[in-house]
Amino acid sequence: MLRINKQELNKIIDKTFFANCGDSHERQWWSYFQERFPNCEMFWRYFIVPHTNRILPEGKIEEEIIRPRKRVAKEIRIISNVHYSMFINIIYSLDHLKNFQLSSFEDFYIHLASAGDLAEEFLLKTYFLILECTNQKSEILQELKKEDFLKLCEKWYNNNYSEVYENYLKKGKPAPIKLPSRKNVLDEYFQDLEYWGQYKKFVQKIREYRNIIVHDVQIGKILSEKKDVVLVPKKDKIQDYKDWPKVFAAGKDTKKLQKDFIEMREQMILDIGRMQISLNNIWNKPIEDLKILFKKKNEVLLRKFDIEIVE
């Protein structure tokens, strides 16, 4: 186990940033996270850096400095990998916006939705880590009473049953029912925090858009009279415009065009910005929870990091 002085660890963290100690992608793209998602780097500095070779004394680093130390627990490495994968998918979305190509619109939403999926996987694994370190259990993952299970069933019915018929038409079977789901567990973690509810509504629209892009016909687009301006159905209107003739008809209706459509790149800019802001708000909770555990020198957490902090 690595013994490290508390002040020395803080000193390393204080001078460690994406820009000077990240990998090639983190060094290249860090500035795109500074305004809207600084907590991505904050989590990296306080909880990913300490499980890597970056905190070893000079002369004792046998492998690449960004790699995890050999005795760090698997759970910590997996959380780090999921966090990085989310970061990469945000970068891919940004790259499609910055270097626009023929398929960039579709690829943008594929990667943005994947970033949301990975963000939730990261939060779930971090929540389980916090529960283990504090000797607690998830109530929703224990044996549910019948009335509690039926409440989950009712919630699923209200949110998803309307799509069952459409799934039968397209795939010959409905979507699988998962109770409790990942979102149910994360609802337990975030309780009634307003920004979690806002994130869920937003990312659901992103996923719906992505699913249509991946599994349905090409999204109908309208070429504006202005050069290089392409209009697409807004996210909350996409279900109304899956049929191309409706898209073409809207192109001749000024009111519908203004109400239901948006310039393609404008929507991409708005969505990547909102995704980063939403994730930044959500990241506050795991950062604060893990900081408290570190501050209290939680034995379980430090053992998983293979660290002994001395005064």
Side-chain angles (χ1 to χ4, degrees), residues 9 54 69 170 186 206 231-232 275:
L9 179 60
R54 295 177 179 93
R69 287 176 288 107
K170 286 184 178 180
L186 290 176
I206 295 293
L231 302 176
V232 294
M275 175 66 89

Side-chain angles (χ1 to χ4, degrees), residues 92-93 95-113 206 209-210 212-214 217-221 230-235 238 262-269 271:
Y92 289 162
S93 293
D95 187 59
H96 278 294
L97 187 55
K98 183 180 177 183
N99 303 299
F100 204 87
Q101 299 178 27
L102 188 61
S103 65
S104 285
F105 178 72
E106 289 79 6
D107 289 339
F108 173 90
Y109 280 100
I110 290 171
H111 289 299
L112 198 63
I206 295 293
Y209 218 74
R210 181 269 313 272
I212 291 172
I213 286 171
V214 172
V217 299
Q218 179 74 22
I219 287 180
K221 301 182 179 78
V230 180
L231 302 176
V232 294
K234 295 178 180 177
K235 294 191 301 300
I238 188 61
I262 187 171
E263 201 278 318
M264 185 168 61
R265 296 197 199 194
E266 179 185 352
Q267 179 171 272
M268 294 166 70
I269 291 169
D271 285 342

Side-chain angles (χ1 to χ4, degrees), residues 125-139:
K125 292 184 182 301
T126 302
Y127 178 41
F128 288 156
L129 174 65
I130 291 167
L131 289 175
E132 182 183 355
C133 291
T134 53
N135 197 28
Q136 299 181 72
K137 292 182 179 180
S138 166
E139 291 184 14

Side-chain angles (χ1 to χ4, degrees), residues 244-293:
W244 289 350
K246 290 185 178 180
V247 176
F248 303 146
K252 299 176 182 178
D253 186 327
T254 304
K255 289 184 179 180
K256 277 192 174 182
L257 204 59
Q258 292 178 343
K259 184 169 75 75
D260 296 348
F261 286 74
I262 187 171
E263 201 278 318
M264 185 168 61
R265 296 197 199 194
E266 179 185 352
Q267 179 171 272
M268 294 166 70
I269 291 169
L270 291 172
D271 285 342
I272 188 67
R274 186 171 176 186
M275 175 66 89
Q276 287 185 297
I277 291 170
S278 296
L279 293 176
N280 192 67
N281 290 332
I282 291 169
W283 254 232
N284 282 316
K285 184 166 175 56
I287 287 173
E288 183 61 27
D289 290 344
L290 288 173
K291 270 189 175 181
I292 290 173
L293 290 176

Side-chain angles (χ1 to χ4, degrees), residues 69-280:
R69 287 176 288 107
K70 292 179 181 178
R71 296 179 60 185
V72 170
K74 183 179 179 180
E75 306 96 289
I76 303 299
R77 289 189 281 106
I78 290 175
I79 287 173
S80 173
N81 293 344
V82 175
H83 190 271
Y84 182 77
S85 299
M86 176 213 64
F87 171 83
I88 288 294
N89 272 277
I90 292 176
I91 285 176
Y92 289 162
S93 293
L94 287 165
D95 187 59
H96 278 294
L97 187 55
K98 183 180 177 183
N99 303 299
F100 204 87
Q101 299 178 27
L102 188 61
S103 65
S104 285
F105 178 72
E106 289 79 6
D107 289 339
F108 173 90
Y109 280 100
I110 290 171
H111 289 299
L112 198 63
S114 293
D117 295 339
L118 288 159
E120 291 174 23
E121 186 65 19
F122 158 79
L123 293 166
L124 188 68
K125 292 184 182 301
T126 302
Y127 178 41
F128 288 156
L129 174 65
I130 291 167
L131 289 175
E132 182 183 355
C133 291
T134 53
N135 197 28
Q136 299 181 72
K137 292 182 179 180
S138 166
E139 291 184 14
I140 203 167
L141 292 180
Q142 304 307 303
E143 187 173 346
L144 291 174
K145 295 179 181 178
K146 182 178 179 180
E147 55 267 32
D148 294 328
F149 180 76
L150 290 176
K151 285 179 183 177
L152 291 179
C153 293
E154 181 182 9
K155 189 174 181 181
W156 182 92
Y157 179 91
N158 292 335
N159 293 336
N160 301 286
Y161 192 74
S162 61
E163 300 173 4
V164 168
Y165 178 67
E166 187 174 353
N167 270 280
Y168 261 117
L169 288 179
K170 286 184 178 180
K171 304 176 184 177
K173 59 182 179 180
I177 302 174
K178 298 178 181 178
L179 294 174
S181 68
R182 178 170 63 186
K183 278 193 173 62
N184 297 140
V185 180
L186 290 176
D187 286 345
E188 177 183 76
Y189 179 43
F190 287 100
Q191 298 295 321
D192 296 323
L193 288 175
E194 183 180 0
Y195 55 71
W196 171 243
Q198 293 171 346
Y199 163 81
K200 286 196 298 180
K201 291 178 182 177
F202 167 72
V203 84
Q204 180 60 30
K205 292 296 182 184
I206 295 293
R207 288 191 178 110
E208 288 175 5
Y209 218 74
R210 181 269 313 272
N211 290 344
I212 291 172
I213 286 171
V214 172
H215 301 297
D216 216 318
V217 299
Q218 179 74 22
I219 287 180
K221 301 182 179 78
I222 297 173
L223 300 179
S224 173
E225 294 178 358
K226 297 180 181 179
K227 188 178 180 181
D228 295 332
V229 173
V230 180
L231 302 176
V232 294
K234 295 178 180 177
K235 294 191 301 300
D236 59 348
K237 297 293 182 180
I238 188 61
Q239 297 291 348
D240 299 332
Y241 290 100
K242 292 163 71 174
D243 190 21
W244 289 350
K246 290 185 178 180
V247 176
F248 303 146
K252 299 176 182 178
D253 186 327
T254 304
K255 289 184 179 180
K256 277 192 174 182
L257 204 59
Q258 292 178 343
K259 184 169 75 75
D260 296 348
F261 286 74
I262 187 171
E263 201 278 318
M264 185 168 61
R265 296 197 199 194
E266 179 185 352
Q267 179 171 272
M268 294 166 70
I269 291 169
L270 291 172
D271 285 342
I272 188 67
R274 186 171 176 186
M275 175 66 89
Q276 287 185 297
I277 291 170
S278 296
L279 293 176
N280 192 67

